[in-house]
Amino acid sequence: MQSHWLDGALQTLSPIEALVYRSRLIGDEPSLGLFGGGNTSTKAEEPDLFGRAHTVLWVKGSGSDLKGCQARHFAPLRLDALRHLTTRRRMSDEEMVRFLERCLVDPKAPRPSIETLLHAFLPERNIDHTHADAILSLANTRHGQALVRRVLGPELLWIPYLQPGFALSRRVFEAYRRRPTAHGAVLEQHGLITWGPDGKTSYQRTIRYVSAAERFFARQRRRVRWSSRRWTTRPPEERMALLRRWLPAIRGAVSRRRKACVAYLDTPDVLEFVNARRMPTLARIGPATPDHMLRTKRLPLIIETRARAATERSPDDVVRQVERYAAAHQRYVLKHRRAGQALQDPYPRVILIPGVGMLTTGKDATEAAMVAQIYTHAMAIMRNAACVGRYTSVSEREAFGVEYWPLELYKLSLAPPEAELSREIGLITGAAGGIGRGIAQMLVDRGASVVVTDLSRRAVEQLAEALNRRAGRRRALGVVMDVTDEGSIERAFDAAARAFGGIDFLVSNAGVATVAAIDRLHQDDWERSLAVNATGHFLVARTAIRRLRAQRLGGALVFISSKNVTAPGKEFGAYSAAKAAQTQLARVLAIENGEFGIRVNIINPDGVFEGSGLWKAIAADRARTYHLPPSRLEAYYQGRNLLKAKVLPADVAEAVCFLISQRAAKTTGCMLTVDGGLREAFPR
Ligand code: ZN
């Protein structure tokens, strides 16, 4: 690991700005700590309310991330008040949190880190605390203390494991008082602390010790094979075939309490770990640092498969394994919980499958990827530790103490409230068109994740990129799909499974139109309309229904149909007949799938011009049908409805959002008009 410190950078910075500079350097290194892991501080003389000098401790706020942090993520506290606590013998967490709040110089500051007292008690000016992979690899080994001394030298204190909080802060302070010349401390099964009179010293000590540990493990890995291989990686198509069978069952099982997104990762590092003979033993020992548990839980679920066996485990068997994991988690909670502690989601966040890779879960793809990233670091730590001895972790009781620690759970409460369609995943056909795009945008705005499909790769990829930018998270995937091609449909649903774990709803929207009186209609045009507007909906819906049923989470299908179904127009035979077939298809789907909790509904829009490729293609012909100049066509449609309303893609999108949401939980087989009111097209 390299130092990225620039000597000139601090010249004009205030103490808090210098702390932000240093914290960002640390946050930019994923192998020093991930997603809110680690914290930093500085002590500075500042005037108080009356202009008198006093010392302020600036420490990172609870739950914020060092990566990209800003001054507003740090809390300023009165150091003299905090230092009074060094004479206290014990203090409860609740008392500590209240005390810290009352020491805040700025009442609007974030809640200070749970490790604040550690920073306050040590008299050193600048302190950095990280959960560095290479240090954890030493600190999580059976003879960790001796190993730390051998590899990192005598200047670091060794602190046996204690849960973060008041007692740990005192323990570190006492060790420091016995040896004030130390450069820092290694916290067993937890991480590294370094300090220094200035930020540069503190930062560079972190880099120096972490680099020394990294060099040590690089040498060890060259000399020692950490494990022999027990399983072999299946070929990609076999892995996909297995996931196609298992993923709906797994996503269904882990979503019993709250729906989860499931991401799949099969990088060489992940495959090496899951295929190793020692993997099941290592992975069942415990977390690499308590901080990881907030996202990964204490243990992963390991689904073992027999190598090259002809008969694979059935999806039902995999579901039983997920349920067994949840039952074991419930027993663990019942065994250790204290009054007032409620069971959190008992389902696994990390699932390891030998020969196949790793699945991780989260509220969306961004969170699932976060879990995957954390566990990838945990794998590296376990691999390192296994090279030099026996990997160790905190005891089950200690793990529970952190996993269900209210101060740790507080970090999760800082996330914004979830939107109505959060955790819902859907696939939209014809998404590059005006209506499709409008639907995709509103779904993402309401919290859903979407797979946007259409014929043009460029169009769907651009749309997905724009949607992800809009959401600020990974919530859309662009996939090329031809609704008339079964292979293409299967591939698109596979891509959805790989990225999000499955789907909860389908918006079957792709359509084409031709204008011609039936006596002049070419057979090719008739067949093209049936292929896209009828058969296309059948093929996509059939795949969606099969996958939804396998997931056993219910689901929703919404068909974008047309006003023409109830009130056909002349010279629109090919379109109207195919749309009528689509509508009847939807109704039969509703009849056949009620018992599976899958709702199927139809939206009949009329005259939606905005951004529409379909209208661009037929506007001139349609205008001729009504003896109008093409420029008057839109006004004609608007003028013929009862509300004299211009129907927009957003109006159709609103109806889609309603029909897939729980607000429409009792509605299936319904036809909803979005046409401004057309008497002849009233559904009956
Ligand atoms: Zn920590």
Side-chain angles (χ1 to χ4, degrees):
M1 185 171 291
Q2 299 285 313
S3 164
H4 294 289
W5 192 273
L6 291 176
D7 271 326
L10 295 193
Q11 268 161 12
T12 55
L13 299 186
S14 68
I16 174 63
E17 287 166 341
L19 175 61
V20 168
Y21 169 75
R22 184 172 104 227
S23 305
R24 284 178 164 220
L25 289 187
I26 293 172
D28 281 341
E29 290 282 356
S31 58
L32 287 180
L34 292 159
F35 313 115
N39 39 66
T40 52
S41 72
T42 197
K43 299 179 180 83
E45 313 299 328
E46 285 180 19
D48 70 3
L49 268 181
F50 308 100
R52 298 170 302 203
H54 73 160
T55 310
V56 171
L57 169 73
W58 285 95
V59 69
K60 197 198 78 169
S62 180
S64 58
D65 202 347
L66 291 177
K67 187 179 169 65
C69 63
Q70 296 170 18
R72 66 184 167 84
H73 297 122
F74 289 82
L77 300 106
R78 292 179 55 114
L79 187 65
D80 54 351
L82 296 172
R83 296 295 308 260
H84 275 295
L85 298 179
T86 54
T87 54
R88 285 271 294 254
R89 310 219 81 206
R90 59 177 61 86
M91 188 174 211
S92 72
D93 291 337
E94 297 73 33
E95 215 184 336
M96 179 178 83
V97 169
R98 261 202 317 277
F99 192 94
L100 293 181
E101 262 168 20
R102 298 176 73 181
C103 291
L104 282 172
V105 173
D106 175 0
K108 289 209 174 77
R111 185 194 270 201
S113 160
I114 49 184
E115 277 150 341
T116 295
L117 291 182
L118 194 139
H119 293 264
F121 291 176
L122 292 167
E124 300 282 342
R125 245 181 202 269
N126 293 279
I127 300 170
D128 296 323
H129 167 49
T130 54
H131 304 143
D133 292 356
I135 301 292
L136 289 171
S137 305
L138 294 171
N140 286 38
T141 309
R142 187 135 68 118
H143 302 292
Q145 185 172 9
L147 203 56
V148 163
R149 203 179 162 85
R150 197 179 104 207
V151 178
L152 305 181
E155 269 95 26
L156 291 178
L157 306 169
W158 172 263
I159 312 291
Y161 181 81
L162 257 186
Q163 183 169 326
F166 183 80
L168 175 65
S169 306
R170 257 197 75 105
R171 178 78 63 86
V172 176
F173 177 54
E174 282 159 10
Y176 173 88
R177 274 210 300 209
R178 284 194 295 274
R179 198 140 57 88
T181 54
H183 291 175
V186 171
L187 308 181
E188 185 186 22
Q189 270 130 24
H190 179 162
L192 173 71
I193 313 172
T194 60
W195 48 70
D198 51 75
K200 182 179 173 183
T201 306
S202 172
Y203 168 77
Q204 289 193 327
R205 281 176 176 170
T206 293
I207 300 296
R208 171 146 53 88
Y209 288 118
V210 172
S211 305
E214 282 178 343
R215 282 194 302 274
F216 168 74
F217 283 112
R219 278 198 307 276
Q220 290 299 315
R221 281 201 306 268
R222 276 197 299 275
R223 283 191 13 215
V224 187
R225 209 158 120 223
W226 70 280
S227 173
S228 59
R229 201 173 68 181
R230 182 169 160 204
W231 292 276
T232 38
T233 301
R234 317 280 183 90
E237 60 282 7
E238 216 181 293
R239 302 208 292 269
M240 202 57 235
L242 185 88
L243 288 177
R244 203 175 291 135
R245 258 158 53 82
W246 281 11
L247 256 179
I250 290 176
R251 176 160 187 264
V254 299
S255 299
R256 291 279 170 260
R257 282 186 162 224
R258 259 193 330 176
K259 277 184 187 164
C261 181
V262 183
Y264 172 54
L265 196 67
D266 56 354
T267 57
D269 274 359
V270 167
L271 287 167
E272 192 214 346
F273 186 83
V274 297
N275 289 342
R277 188 168 296 280
R278 296 177 74 177
M279 178 278 285
T281 320
L282 284 171
R284 288 189 178 111
I285 292 173
T289 180
D291 185 64
H292 286 183
M293 280 189 301
L294 189 66
R295 311 272 182 197
T296 64
K297 299 189 109 67
R298 190 173 78 91
L299 299 176
L301 165 65
I302 302 165
I303 300 180
E304 293 191 27
T305 55
R306 276 165 289 163
R308 306 212 160 273
T311 50
E312 277 300 346
R313 288 181 187 280
S314 69
D316 284 345
D317 184 44
V318 175
V319 169
R320 276 193 290 276
Q321 295 196 45
V322 173
E323 291 301 341
R324 268 203 296 277
Y325 178 101
H329 183 86
Q330 269 161 314
R331 282 196 300 277
Y332 154 79
V333 175
L334 286 176
K335 189 166 150 196
H336 299 292
R337 77 163 166 196
R338 272 177 257 133
Q341 283 180 316
L343 173 76
Q344 303 282 316
D345 183 6
Y347 291 100
R349 300 275 163 76
V350 178
I351 301 174
L352 306 177
I353 313 172
V356 178
M358 170 167 73
L359 299 174
T360 54
T361 72
K363 70 174 177 192
D364 59 13
T366 297
E367 198 179 278
M370 206 186 241
V371 175
Q373 206 183 333
I374 293 173
Y375 205 77
T376 307
H377 283 262
M379 287 175 182
I381 294 163
M382 287 186 245
R383 235 187 327 239
N384 280 342
C387 281
V388 295
R390 210 165 85 193
Y391 172 72
T392 60
S393 176
V394 291
S395 71
E396 189 187 286
R397 169 168 291 280
E398 286 161 342
F400 179 84
V402 178
E403 192 178 348
Y404 277 76
W405 193 20
L407 300 195
E408 194 72 12
L409 294 173
Y410 168 79
K411 295 180 185 175
L412 296 180
S413 74
L414 297 175
E418 292 190 26
E420 182 182 22
L421 298 178
S422 166
R423 298 171 181 269
E424 300 290 330
I425 303 161
L427 186 141
I428 307 167
T429 69
I435 292 183
R437 182 178 294 265
I439 293 170
Q441 258 172 25
M442 194 175 287
L443 285 168
V444 167
D445 288 350
R446 306 259 168 109
S449 298
V450 293
V451 178
V452 287
T453 71
D454 213 310
L455 291 170
S456 151
R457 178 175 304 278
R458 219 175 102 87
V460 289
E461 283 176 359
Q462 277 177 355
L463 174 60
E465 207 184 295
L467 292 169
N468 285 330
R469 247 199 327 271
R470 197 177 164 103
R473 297 178 76 86
R474 195 160 156 248
R475 293 258 295 282
L477 176 74
V479 178
V480 178
M481 184 176 109
D482 177 351
V483 297
T484 64
D485 173 356
E486 253 188 288
S488 155
I489 296 168
E490 286 296 323
R491 282 193 297 277
F493 277 82
D494 282 350
R498 220 187 135 96
F500 298 116
I503 64 153
D504 300 299
F505 65 87
L506 164 73
V507 183
S508 200
N509 164 65
V512 291
T514 347
V515 178
I518 291 171
D519 59 317
R520 284 180 286 111
L521 181 63
H522 292 288
Q523 189 178 345
D524 287 354
D525 288 337
W526 168 260
E527 278 168 4
R528 174 84 191 134
S529 180
L530 280 175
V532 177
N533 298 326
T535 311
H537 291 280
F538 155 67
L539 291 174
V540 179
R542 191 175 63 177
T543 302
I545 286 291
R546 286 175 180 163
R547 299 203 180 208
L548 286 174
R549 284 192 195 174
Q551 233 174 219
R552 298 183 205 166
L553 291 172
L557 270 54
V558 177
F559 288 87
I560 307 302
S561 189
S562 167
K563 156 261 175 196
N564 282 278
V565 172
T566 45
K570 66 176 179 175
E571 299 179 347
F572 227 25
Y575 184 77
S576 302
K579 282 289 181 185
Q582 179 206 355
T583 299
Q584 215 62 338
L585 166 81
R587 288 169 162 164
V588 176
L589 280 166
I591 295 166
E592 291 177 351
N593 290 284
E595 62 179 300
F596 302 103
I598 301 169
R599 300 179 296 104
V600 186
N601 293 293
I602 304 154
I603 296 174
N604 288 359
D606 186 46
V608 184
F609 285 80
E610 195 181 281
S612 169
L614 185 144
W615 273 110
K616 211 178 281 165
I618 62 163
D621 289 337
R622 224 57 208 118
R624 211 170 305 124
T625 306
Y626 295 120
H627 310 292
L628 293 166
S631 59
R632 291 267 318 282
L633 191 66
E634 204 174 334
Y636 165 77
Y637 274 88
Q638 188 175 339
R640 79 178 180 180
N641 70 52
L642 298 171
L643 298 170
K644 308 289 173 228
K646 182 172 165 181
V647 185
L648 300 170
D651 301 315
V652 182
E654 189 65 67
V656 171
C657 287
F658 167 71
L659 286 173
I660 65 168
S661 77
Q662 281 308 301
R663 286 178 287 145
K666 312 286 164 64
T667 300
T668 191
C670 160
M671 191 186 267
L672 181 59
T673 61
V674 184
D675 58 8
L678 292 164
R679 191 178 164 176
E680 69 278 19
F682 285 170
R684 61 194 150 250

